[in-house]
Amino acid sequence: MTSDLFMDHGNPLQTEKVRALDPLLADGPLSRLPELNSRAAVAELTAMLRALTPGLDAVALYSTDECLAAMRDLGMLLGSLKRHDTEPAAVVPEVVPVLQELGRRTGMIPRDTVHHYTTWNPTDERQRTYTGDPQEYVLQESVRMVFPQLRQGLELCDMLSRTDPAEQKFAVVLDELTDLMGAMVESIDMVVKEVGPAFFARILRPYYENVTIGGETYLGPAAAQVPLWLIDLSVWASDHSRPEYQEFLAHSIPYSLPRWRELYDSWLHGPSLVTRLVAAFGADPAETERSEPHLVESAEALLRLLRVIMVFRGRHLGIARKAYQEDLRLFPVGSGGASVELLKQILDLTRDNANLTRGTAEERKAAS
């Protein structure tokens, strides 16, 4: 069981606190990061990482929120050095025990994640970026804007896991979840409109490469760490998935927040919402509907949710295909480890489950 100390990571009050904190006094140095990166100034970046790395005695005095802010700022230098073909721990070995302690103190991995890079990043003139390009700001905001809705959405999924599909509440909560997932579509539309595939593929993507800390390899702060895949797990992927997607989920979960890791553990082997709903109709749909009148409403609500997720998945696949086409890409897979082929498989699986639910909603309704 994860410590209660970490269970509310990402709540709005904590988020604002972490954004305001600067325990390493990094505001000034990190404002130079875009210029240093433009020159590939490895020696200066190395010196900055060494200067900003606190001692373990200082870390011992930090609050949990200060540890999150410190990881955020050290992480910007980890990604910058790796982008310039330099393994950070090799040139500043003293950062390793500090990163490990910051990870332990916050219940997270010993490097920065997408949460540090977006949610806990200041949103004013103190905002940390690798490039300073307006397109990077858009990408950070596109991720930041969906986290409050995803956070609420995952709690709704937890509620649904304990609600009978035959209850009226089941459809009501599903529609609340669908409304929240609309933020994902708004986010991807903003990226399509304002961020060029070439900028992401050739300029920004290299900053999200793996680094090695204490002999272990950790992904960079990838947008793939945004846990729409955890919504999938609850809705259909716990028992209607494929090995490739299950492997991706297992690989991604260490980068998520502690509360979300607990939800993953509780949903991984349980029946999905799709399975529970289909099973609820049984062998005699007409009779079931007469005795359980809210089931068709639940099926229709689940179908509405899956349609919104399919819209997002389709647009995300379109972006990925452009960014990872052979004549443009620098890397064969996304920064979260997913290939374009896996994204296509996930979309197909979501569509398959929507079709299963559509049959439940429409055929049962017709049978009645």
Side-chain angles (χ1 to χ4, degrees), residues 309-367:
I309 293 175
M310 281 192 296
V311 169
F312 171 82
R313 292 288 188 198
R315 292 176 187 174
H316 184 213
L317 178 60
I319 291 174
R321 279 175 167 159
K322 291 177 182 177
Y324 288 95
Q325 56 188 316
E326 288 191 15
D327 60 344
L328 185 62
R329 71 188 187 194
L330 298 177
F331 304 92
V333 297
S335 45
S339 65
V340 173
E341 291 73 22
L342 178 59
L343 296 181
K344 175 64 166 59
Q345 182 185 112
I346 296 168
L347 176 59
D348 289 342
L349 286 167
T350 309
R351 185 179 294 113
D352 290 345
N353 280 276
N355 289 335
L356 184 61
T357 306
R358 182 179 296 109
T360 298
E362 296 176 357
E363 292 170 15
R364 274 35 172 192
K365 191 172 184 180

Side-chain angles (χ1 to χ4, degrees), residues 78-79 82 86-88 111 209-213 216-220:
L78 301 182
K82 189 58 185 282
T86 302
E87 196 65 59
R111 79 156 296 181
E209 268 297 88
N210 303 343
V211 300
T212 300
I213 304 295
E216 297 290 333
T217 299
Y218 297 95
L219 298 171

